[in-house]
């Protein structure tokens, strides 16, 4: 699906923050917990990123990780 859709899922605080801070134009949608939003709201505002706040239960349902983190981003693949 990754190649067909030209998108990928980024999971976890470290990965998503790196994308937000270095390539915010790649981020199409950000799903995060209230805790993530409170802690990183200034970073999101600075980089003009909007987010959808979801519960931990919802995050677990969309995450591929066995122990979901606080944030999931849907990103466009970079053109090579």
């Amino acid at each position: 699906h990754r190649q067909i859709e030209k998108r990928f899922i980024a999971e976890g605080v470290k990965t998503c923050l790196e994308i937000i801070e270095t390539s915010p134009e790649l981020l199409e949608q950000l799903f995060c917990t209230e805790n993530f939003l409170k802690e990183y709201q200034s970073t999101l505002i600075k980089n003009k990123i909007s987010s959808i706040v979801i519960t931990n239960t919802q995050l677990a349902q969309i995450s591929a990780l066995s122990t979901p983190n606080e944030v999931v981003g849907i990103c466009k693949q970079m053109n090579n």
Side-chain angles (χ1 to χ4, degrees), residues 13 30-41 44 51-60 68-72:
V13 173
L30 189 74
F31 299 93
C32 66
T33 63
E34 187 71 38
N35 288 340
F36 178 89
L37 183 61
K38 286 178 185 175
E39 188 165 346
Y40 298 104
Q41 188 166 23
L44 298 178
S51 62
I52 296 175
V53 176
I54 59 176
T55 66
N56 287 328
T57 302
Q58 290 170 318
L59 187 63
N69 215 304
E70 296 184 63
V71 61
V72 171

Side-chain angles (χ1 to χ4, degrees):
H1 288 317
R2 181 184 289 221
Q3 283 75 28
I4 294 170
E5 295 294 327
K6 305 269 191 248
R7 289 174 178 76
F8 66 95
I9 295 174
E11 296 194 58
V13 173
K14 184 178 176 182
T15 301
C16 288
L17 284 177
E18 184 175 334
I19 293 168
I20 290 166
E21 292 173 344
T22 62
S23 302
E25 70 281 0
L26 297 181
L27 193 61
E28 290 188 343
Q29 190 65 64
L30 189 74
F31 299 93
C32 66
T33 63
E34 187 71 38
N35 288 340
F36 178 89
L37 183 61
K38 286 178 185 175
E39 188 165 346
Y40 298 104
Q41 188 166 23
S42 62
T43 301
L44 298 178
I45 291 169
K46 180 179 80 173
N47 291 287
K48 298 180 175 108
I49 302 293
S50 62
S51 62
I52 296 175
V53 176
I54 59 176
T55 66
N56 287 328
T57 302
Q58 290 170 318
L59 187 63
Q61 290 173 339
I62 63 172
S63 176
L65 301 175
S66 57
T67 53
N69 215 304
E70 296 184 63
V71 61
V72 171
I74 300 174
C75 304
K76 296 181 277 189
Q77 285 186 346
M78 292 174 46
N79 293 327
N80 293 335

